[in-house]
């Protein structure tokens, strides 16, 4: 029930904001709106106000604003309040308002989230300098080494670790050109990210790419359990944990796993860095139920920020501009085959991640909504007939050629756009279904 309600909430808000943009600019430009609907199909709730019928329809997978004289084949009375009676500039304003409202919503939501303050791993906004390469990983096979700084992954420019993680995640099992800096010189390698699975609490499965590189960071000793071996071992709060029994440590989870698989009463060798000096300290673990422990809490380097409202808006705009560039680049790579279509997500996938976010907290749900809103706004601006961007594209061609296309030509364009959109829908729904374990088990070709 949480998944369904969160999905309806997220999609409902995004569709309402999108259609509200069209509606407001219709009113601004004097175009009569016949219907404002959330959803498609049979109307389950409707109210008439003036010339407009406001309704909620049965199929909650979108919405629409029906304008007077909207399509070339609609009956035209010559009235000034019809869509096709307006200038191309006015029609452009109406068409672009929907996607623009989604993009504005993404900026507003992210700014609200930022204003609350947040803690994030310190390495995420740092250059993608490799601290460790996992044995047997695609990165090791490709020749990537600790100390390399990855600056480009495929067609994606990599400025931070966050950029790299997104670029790698979108390209599982695809051979990718990698540009990196090694010793001040630019090197070019090829790597094929391995396919990795992430399972949510609801057992939904998402496939992402991974190459096995880790950032140049270390976990640290945060605190001790009083009276346990770690406290009397010589470890001190603030020590950077470089390695455990010779195994390089990067994240807290590695420390926990490394300790957990050790034998009780056999000393574990910690190599730590304290005040610039590397030390080796043995710690003898103990048994706690089914788990091996030493009585130490590890921590990771994090960065906390809480901007002012003005700073939050600026950061949100900057963040959304960066995300837009990455989204558009990924869309281009999908068309050229340089990114995997497995990353595309449809309504079922959105419902799954909405449910997961709602179970976390409302901030996570708003963050997801901001991301989907930005994607929805940019997708609708694509020059595909049927979408807002397609109609804008047709008008642009008509303006450049200084003549309007015939009704037959526009119908053919719209049909092509419809086919493309249906192909996209089939792809994303197929992806969604493969993420559900019991349905995937019914697919013998998987």
């Amino acid at each position: 029930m949480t998944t369904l309600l969160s999905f309806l909430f997220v999609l409902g808000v995004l569709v309402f904001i999108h259609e509200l943009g069209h509606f407001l600019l219709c009113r601004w430009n004097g175009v009569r709106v016949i219907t404002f609907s959330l959803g498609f199909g049979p109307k389950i709730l409707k109210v008439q106000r003036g010339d407009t019928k406001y309704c909620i329809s049965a199929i909650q997978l979108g919405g629409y604003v029906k304008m007077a004289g909207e399509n070339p084949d609609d009956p035209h009375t010559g009235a000034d309040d019809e869509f096709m009676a307006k200038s191309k500039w006015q029609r452009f304003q109406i068409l672009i308002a929907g996607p623009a409202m989604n993009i504005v919503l993404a900026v507003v939501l992210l700014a609200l989230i930022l204003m609350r303050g947040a803690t994030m791993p310190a390495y995420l906004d740092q250059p993608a300098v490799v601290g460790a390469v996992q044995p047997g990983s695609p990165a090791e096979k490709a020749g990537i080494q600790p100390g390399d700084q990855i600056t480009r992954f495929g067609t994606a420019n990599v400025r931070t670790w966050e950029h790299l993680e997104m670029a790698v995640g979108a390209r599982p099992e695809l051979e990718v050109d990698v540009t990196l800096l090694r010793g001040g010189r630019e090197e070019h390698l090829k790597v094929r990210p391995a396919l990795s699975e992430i399972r949510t609490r609801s057992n939904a499965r998402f496939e992402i790419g991974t190459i096995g590189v880790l950032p140049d960071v270390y976990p640290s000793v945060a605190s001790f359990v009083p009276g346990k071996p770690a406290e009397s071992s010589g470890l001190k709060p603030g020590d950077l944990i470089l390695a455990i029994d010779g195994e390089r440590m990067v994240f807290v989870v590695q420390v926990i796993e490394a300790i957990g698989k050790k034998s009780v009463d056999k000393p574990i060798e910690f190599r730590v860095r304290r005040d610039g000096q590397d030390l080796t300290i043995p710690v003898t673990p103990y048994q706690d139920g089914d788990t091996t422990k030493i009585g130490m809490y590890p921590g990771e380097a994090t960065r906390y920020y809480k901007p002012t409202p003005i700073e939050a808006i600026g950061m949100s705009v900057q963040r959304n501009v960066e995300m837009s560039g990455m989204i558009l680049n990924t869309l281009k790579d999908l068309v050229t085959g340089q990114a995997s279509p497995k990353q595309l997500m449809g309504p079922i996938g959105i419902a799954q991640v909405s449910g997961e976010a709602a179970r976390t907290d409302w901030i996570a749900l708003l963050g997801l909504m901001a991301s989907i809103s930005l994607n929805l706004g940019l997708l609708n601006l694509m020059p595909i007939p049927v979408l807002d961007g397609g109609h804008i594209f047709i008008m642009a061609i008509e303006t450049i050629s200084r003549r309007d296309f015939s009704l037959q030509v526009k119908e053919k364009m719209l049909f092509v756009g419809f086919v493309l959109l249906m192909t996209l829908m089939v792809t994303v729904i197929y992806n969604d279904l493969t993420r559900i374990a019991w349905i995937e088990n019914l697919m013998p070709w998987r």
Side-chain angles (χ1 to χ4, degrees):
M1 183 58 71
T2 300
T3 295
L4 177 61
L5 292 177
S6 57
F7 169 68
L8 293 176
F9 172 72
V10 169
L11 193 61
V13 171
L14 299 186
V15 170
F16 173 75
I17 290 295
H18 182 95
E19 300 305 334
L20 180 64
H22 292 313
F23 177 80
L24 293 176
L25 267 292
C26 282
R27 289 298 179 88
W28 177 267
N29 287 286
V31 174
R32 177 164 48 92
V33 176
I34 299 172
T35 307
F36 186 123
S37 175
L38 294 181
F40 301 105
K43 298 173 176 59
I44 57 178
L45 181 64
K46 53 186 177 182
V47 177
Q48 186 78 33
R49 289 287 184 272
D51 295 328
T52 306
K53 183 186 296 181
Y54 302 89
C55 55
I56 298 176
S57 300
I59 305 174
Q60 288 296 306
L61 292 176
Y64 63 92
V65 166
K66 173 64 178 174
M67 299 172 279
E70 178 178 355
N71 299 311
D73 55 348
D74 286 345
H76 292 258
T77 64
D80 186 54
D81 62 358
E82 292 180 348
F83 179 72
M84 295 303 293
K86 299 300 179 179
S87 68
K88 284 186 171 64
W89 169 241
Q90 290 173 306
R91 282 182 274 160
F92 167 79
Q93 294 176 52
I94 294 169
L95 289 169
I96 202 171
M101 285 286 279
N102 283 127
I103 294 171
V104 169
L105 177 64
V107 172
V108 171
L109 289 176
L110 184 56
L112 290 174
I113 293 170
L114 290 170
M115 278 189 286
R116 289 187 75 256
T119 300
M120 61 179 288
Y123 75 89
L124 270 184
D125 60 355
Q126 299 299 311
V129 177
V130 178
V133 178
Q134 294 177 321
S137 66
E140 185 183 59
K141 295 174 183 176
I144 296 176
Q145 303 172 6
D148 290 345
Q149 179 181 341
I150 299 175
T151 58
R152 191 172 182 85
F153 196 87
T155 60
N157 289 319
V158 175
R159 293 189 296 277
T160 66
W161 270 100
E162 186 174 20
H163 293 156
L164 178 62
E165 290 177 359
M166 293 185 65
V168 173
R171 295 165 173 83
E173 301 183 312
L174 295 174
E175 188 171 74
V176 180
D177 293 319
V178 179
T179 302
L180 51 84
L181 294 176
R182 177 181 296 167
R185 294 181 304 174
E186 192 171 86
E187 301 279 348
H188 299 274
L189 304 172
K190 289 185 180 294
V191 64
R192 185 183 295 273
L195 183 64
S196 178
E197 293 185 0
I198 295 177
R199 289 192 178 270
T200 65
R201 284 177 292 182
S202 59
N203 207 33
R205 184 175 63 84
F206 294 88
E207 297 180 349
I208 63 170
T210 178
I211 60 173
V213 293
L214 301 174
D216 192 20
V217 295
Y218 299 98
S220 61
V221 176
S223 60
F224 302 110
V225 178
K228 296 301 181 181
E231 185 179 39
S232 57
S233 66
L235 292 173
K236 291 185 178 180
D239 286 350
L240 294 180
I241 305 172
L242 307 183
I244 295 178
D245 282 345
E247 181 184 351
R248 167 75 148 87
M249 294 291 109
V250 177
F251 299 121
V252 163
V253 66
Q254 290 178 286
V255 175
I256 296 172
E257 290 175 352
I259 296 172
K261 64 185 181 184
K262 300 299 181 182
S263 300
V264 178
D265 298 330
K266 182 179 180 180
I268 301 173
E269 187 176 90
F270 276 72
R271 187 159 58 88
V272 302
R273 181 168 296 160
R274 181 186 303 162
D275 299 328
Q277 183 180 4
D278 291 356
L279 305 171
T280 299
I281 299 174
V283 184
T284 302
Y286 64 94
Q287 192 75 27
D288 184 4
D290 295 331
T291 308
T292 301
K293 295 183 178 180
I294 64 170
M296 181 267 293
Y297 296 108
E300 287 177 343
T302 58
R303 183 169 64 87
Y304 179 80
Y305 59 93
K306 187 173 183 179
T308 65
I310 298 299
E311 290 172 337
I313 292 172
M315 291 172 66
S316 178
V317 169
Q318 180 182 3
R319 172 70 172 169
N320 276 282
V321 168
E322 289 182 358
M323 290 297 297
S324 297
M326 286 188 278
I327 291 168
L328 293 174
N329 192 62
T330 300
L331 288 173
K332 182 189 72 175
D333 287 348
L334 285 168
V335 173
T336 60
Q338 297 184 63
S340 173
K342 293 178 181 179
Q343 309 310 304
L344 295 174
M345 187 184 300
I348 299 173
I350 293 173
Q352 290 172 324
V353 296
S354 297
E356 293 292 333
R359 292 185 188 95
T360 303
D361 56 30
W362 65 273
I363 290 296
L365 188 62
L366 290 184
L368 174 66
M369 190 186 300
S371 176
I372 296 175
S373 188
L374 180 62
N375 277 269
L376 181 62
L378 294 175
L379 179 63
N380 267 281
L381 288 175
M382 294 294 99
I384 301 174
V386 179
L387 299 178
D388 295 322
H391 292 292
I392 293 171
F393 181 66
I394 291 173
M395 282 201 311
I397 295 177
E398 289 179 334
T399 301
I400 294 170
S401 63
R402 296 184 180 180
R403 66 181 182 86
D404 291 349
F405 295 127
S406 66
L407 177 59
Q408 291 76 15
V409 170
K410 288 184 178 180
E411 286 178 341
K412 290 178 181 178
M413 288 182 172
L414 292 175
F415 177 75
V416 171
F418 175 77
V419 171
L420 290 173
L421 201 57
M422 288 302 99
T423 301
L424 177 63
M425 285 301 297
V426 169
T427 301
V428 298
I429 291 175
Y430 174 78
N431 286 346
D432 287 350
L433 294 177
T434 60
R435 294 182 179 116
I436 302 173
W438 70 269
I439 293 181
E440 187 187 26
N441 291 335
L442 300 176
M443 301 177 179
W445 59 90
R446 293 285 297 178

